[in-house]
């Protein structure tokens, strides 16, 4: 297995539900092996009262505890999967995988399976003699304590799962994880090694490098790539946007060099690409905005018809877009002399606005509350936008107003809209009347 595949396997395992679960199970197995292999005789005499008098009492208790743990495991996760399936159908199927890979859910699964394996080890290795000695009796009592711990975790697990599928918790988690991604972008912007330059790079003299795998490339190891570029006196130009899905044998980057790069260098460059299954909001902020948009349009579908959820998503998107408007994302990594080492594409505000607001306008354009929420969001964003971004926001606001003028023609609706049309703190140019209506003298 080559280096890039090995790193991909390790990163995939660390991000999977099996990683933390396996660590916890390993601890339980080690404790079980220690309990059946060690023969501790010099225990305090006061513990003799814990010895089992009947030879079959310990095995019967262990068998009962193990059967109960298996039933608890099946009941817990069948209930959870039912809840998550309902949440996926109501909000977005992408959220189900994110909820199941949360650390606390992995911990519960690890404790459940670890307890079962510990009890199984005690059952498979019989005690020496007619009745278990004090050490083995303590091991049985420890198994009982593990089951009690699992019961306590079951209560918190069900409570946490029921809370995690509530729309407020879902949107808040998306907001927090996306903010973390924006914070990393802000820290990168503060570094002198990262800059922003306009204009396209001429790649006609470069050497294309094709992908070895398919998947979503959420980010790259900039430090490792920059080190390769310095060492080999080359420039690496990424031909994809972070979060894009790439297929095998597709030219995803170009190496600007005096001679064609060798296989070893190409392998080292490809090893710096970080593939992630699905869309990671922590690695790329656009994914968080996209998932909020998808939850909003799912809520606007006729089968669900929940405009309140859509408005909540619009509010969270407004908060994230306001933070994005204050940033000028870097698209170059340079050395001390200003020579470009790495270049990549960052999605602009115009593309982001179409990506997250256009679907909501399309599906919710005939809902007055959605149109007014969108208009309020655009008013808020106008206070954070520069001149170029302001023109984009103004165009989207004009479109929303035109939709309201087209779909809401009742006098009461018109009066309600016009009372809120130009109000609030904003920098947009909004008329006090809907298009096609003259201002009364």
């Amino acid at each position: 297995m080559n280096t890039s595949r090995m790193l991909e396997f390790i990163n995939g395992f660390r991000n999977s539900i099996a990683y933390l679960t396996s660590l916890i199970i390993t601890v339980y197995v080690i404790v079980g092996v220690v309990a059946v292999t060690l023969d501790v005789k010099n225990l305090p005499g006061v513990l003799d009262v814990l010895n089992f008098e009947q030879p079959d009492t310990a095995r019967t208790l262990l068998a009962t505890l193990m059967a109960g743990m298996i039933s608890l495991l099946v009941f817990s996760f069948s209930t959870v999967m039912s809840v998550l399936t309902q949440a996926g159908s109501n909000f977005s199927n992408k959220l189900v995988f994110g909820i199941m890979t949360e650390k606390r859910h992995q911990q519960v699964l690890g404790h459940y399976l670890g307890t079962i394996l510990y009890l199984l080890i005690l059952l498979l290795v019989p005690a020496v003699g007619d009745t278990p000695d004090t050490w083995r009796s303590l091991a049985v009592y420890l198994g009982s304590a593990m089951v009690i711990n699992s019961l306590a975790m079951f209560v918190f697990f069900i409570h946490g799962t029921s809370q995690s599928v509530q729309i407020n918790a879902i949107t808040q988690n998306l907001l927090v994880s996306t903010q973390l991604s924006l914070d990393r972008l802000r820290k990168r912007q503060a570094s002198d090694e990262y800059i922003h330059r306009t204009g396209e790079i001429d790649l006609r003299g470069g050497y294309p490098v094709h992908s070895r795998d398919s998947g979503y490339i959420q980010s790259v190891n900039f430090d490792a790539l920059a080190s390769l570029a310095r060492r080999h006196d080359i420039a690496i130009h990424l031909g994809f946007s972070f979060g894009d899905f790439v297929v095998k044998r597709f030219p995803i980057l170009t190496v600007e060099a005096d001679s064609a790069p060798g296989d070893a260098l190409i392998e080292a460059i490809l090893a710096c690409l970080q593939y992630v299954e699905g869309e990671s909001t922590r690695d790329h902020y656009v994914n968080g905005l996209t998932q909020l948009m998808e939850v909003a349009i799912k809520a606007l579908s006729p089968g669900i018809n929940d405009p309140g959820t859509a408005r909540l998503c619009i509010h969270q998107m407004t908060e994230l877009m306001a933070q994005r408007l204050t940033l000028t994302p870097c698209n170059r990594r340079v050395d001390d002399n200003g020579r470009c080492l790495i270049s990549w594409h960052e999605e602009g505000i115009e593309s982001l606005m179409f990506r997250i607001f256009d679907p909501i306008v399309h599906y919710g354009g005939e809902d007055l509350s959605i149109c007014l929420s969108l208009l309020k969001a655009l008013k808020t964003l106008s206070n954070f936008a520069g001149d170029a971004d302001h023109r984009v926001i103004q165009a989207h606001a004009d479109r929303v107003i035109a939709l309201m003028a087209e779909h809401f023609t009742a006098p009461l609706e018109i009066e309600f809209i016009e009372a809120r049309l130009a109000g609030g703190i904003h920098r947009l140019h909004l008329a006090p009347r809907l298009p096609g209506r003259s201002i009364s003298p």
Side-chain angles (χ1 to χ4, degrees):
M1 184 180 292
N2 56 39
T3 304
S4 62
R5 292 186 180 275
M6 178 66 74
L7 292 175
E8 180 182 353
F9 173 78
I10 294 174
N11 290 331
F13 178 71
R14 287 178 60 87
N15 293 323
S16 69
I17 192 175
Y19 174 65
L20 186 56
T21 303
S22 301
L23 295 180
I24 297 175
I25 291 175
T26 302
V27 174
Y28 275 88
V29 171
I30 293 174
V31 174
V33 172
V34 169
V36 299
T37 55
L38 293 183
D39 187 14
V40 181
K41 297 296 185 182
N42 300 322
L43 291 173
V46 70
L47 297 177
D48 292 342
V49 70
L50 300 177
N51 289 350
F52 291 95
E53 297 180 357
Q54 300 297 325
D56 294 332
T57 302
R59 294 188 62 83
T60 302
L61 177 60
L62 290 173
T64 304
L65 292 175
M66 184 173 175
M69 279 303 305
I70 294 176
S71 300
L72 180 64
L73 176 65
V74 173
F75 176 74
S76 298
F77 284 90
S78 61
T79 303
V80 168
M81 291 310 299
S82 299
V83 173
L84 293 181
T85 301
Q86 185 68 25
S89 62
N90 288 341
F91 306 127
S92 174
N93 290 324
K94 295 178 181 179
L95 303 175
V96 175
F97 179 77
I99 293 174
M100 284 303 300
T101 54
E102 288 184 4
K103 298 298 183 183
R104 55 193 177 93
H105 293 166
Q106 297 179 30
Q107 291 173 2
V108 173
L109 181 59
H111 284 286
Y112 279 10
L113 296 178
T115 301
I116 292 174
L117 290 177
Y118 175 83
L119 298 174
L120 182 61
I121 291 173
L122 295 185
L123 283 171
L124 290 176
V125 182
V128 178
D130 295 335
T131 58
D133 58 9
T134 305
W135 173 255
R136 194 60 180 270
S137 299
L138 290 176
V140 175
Y141 286 115
L142 178 60
S144 302
M146 291 179 179
V147 174
I148 295 174
N149 174 67
S150 298
L151 290 173
M153 297 191 72
F154 166 74
V155 175
F156 289 103
F157 180 58
I158 295 299
H159 173 74
T161 303
S162 62
Q163 293 293 320
S164 64
V165 296
Q166 294 182 8
I167 185 59
N168 289 331
I170 290 174
T171 57
Q172 186 65 26
N173 288 337
L174 288 175
L175 175 67
V176 171
S177 61
T178 308
Q179 284 178 331
L180 292 175
S181 178
L182 287 170
D183 288 340
R184 286 196 295 270
L185 190 64
R186 190 176 293 107
K187 291 179 181 178
R188 187 186 304 164
Q189 184 183 14
S191 173
D192 294 334
E193 295 180 327
Y194 294 91
I195 63 173
H196 175 82
R197 288 179 182 170
T198 58
E200 297 293 333
I201 297 177
D202 187 5
L203 302 178
R204 288 175 293 180
Y207 298 92
V209 175
H210 297 75
S211 61
R212 301 283 174 82
D213 301 292
S214 61
Y216 294 92
I217 305 179
Q218 301 290 359
S219 59
V220 300
N221 189 336
F222 285 108
D223 292 335
L225 272 183
S227 178
L228 289 173
R230 288 191 183 96
R231 191 183 316 138
H232 297 276
D233 194 23
I234 60 175
I236 302 171
H237 306 293
L238 307 180
F240 57 87
S241 297
F242 294 124
D244 284 352
F245 180 83
V246 299
V247 298
K248 290 182 179 179
R249 296 180 294 277
F250 185 80
I252 56 175
L253 59 90
T254 302
V255 176
E256 184 180 348
D258 296 332
S259 59
D263 293 339
L265 177 57
I266 292 177
E267 191 68 29
I269 293 174
L270 293 177
C272 297
L273 306 181
Q274 298 177 3
Y275 289 82
V276 177
E277 182 181 355
E279 297 180 355
S280 172
T281 57
R282 293 182 179 272
D283 293 324
H284 192 39
Y285 70 94
V286 177
N287 292 333
L289 289 167
T290 302
Q291 290 186 19
L292 284 169
M293 176 270 295
E294 291 173 350
V295 173
I297 61 176
K298 191 71 172 287
L300 292 173
S301 63
I304 298 177
N305 192 22
D306 184 11
T309 295
R311 291 195 299 271
L312 179 61
C313 293
I314 292 173
H315 299 159
Q316 307 288 32
M317 291 160 56
T318 305
E319 167 66 25
L320 294 172
M321 282 298 296
Q323 296 182 33
R324 170 60 179 82
L325 284 167
T326 61
L327 298 174
T328 303
C330 310
N331 57 5
R332 302 284 193 277
R333 173 77 180 258
V334 297
D335 60 12
D336 296 336
N337 298 321
R339 183 178 74 88
C340 177
L341 300 175
I342 313 169
S343 71
W344 62 94
H345 173 71
E346 283 287 348
E347 191 164 3
I349 292 297
E350 181 178 10
S351 177
L352 277 176
M353 293 290 292
F354 271 100
R355 179 194 288 260
I356 65 174
F357 285 120
D358 186 71
I360 299 178
V361 172
H362 177 75
Y363 287 97
E366 297 184 7
D367 188 300
L368 179 57
S369 65
I370 297 300
C371 289
L372 290 176
S373 294
L374 286 171
L375 182 59
K376 185 176 180 181
L378 295 170
K379 289 178 180 179
T380 302
L381 295 178
S382 67
N383 295 290
F384 299 89
D387 293 338
D389 298 334
H390 182 270
R391 288 191 292 270
V392 175
I393 297 173
Q394 179 70 54
H396 281 272
D398 293 340
R399 182 188 179 191
V400 172
I401 293 174
L403 281 175
M404 289 192 291
E406 177 183 355
H407 294 297
F408 308 108
T409 56
L412 187 61
E413 293 175 333
I414 294 175
E415 181 180 356
F416 185 83
I417 294 172
E418 291 182 345
R420 294 157 177 79
L421 201 58
I425 302 175
H426 61 88
R427 296 174 51 233
L428 298 176
H429 302 290
L430 303 177
R433 297 288 184 270
L434 289 172
R437 283 174 50 82
S438 59
I439 301 177
S440 300

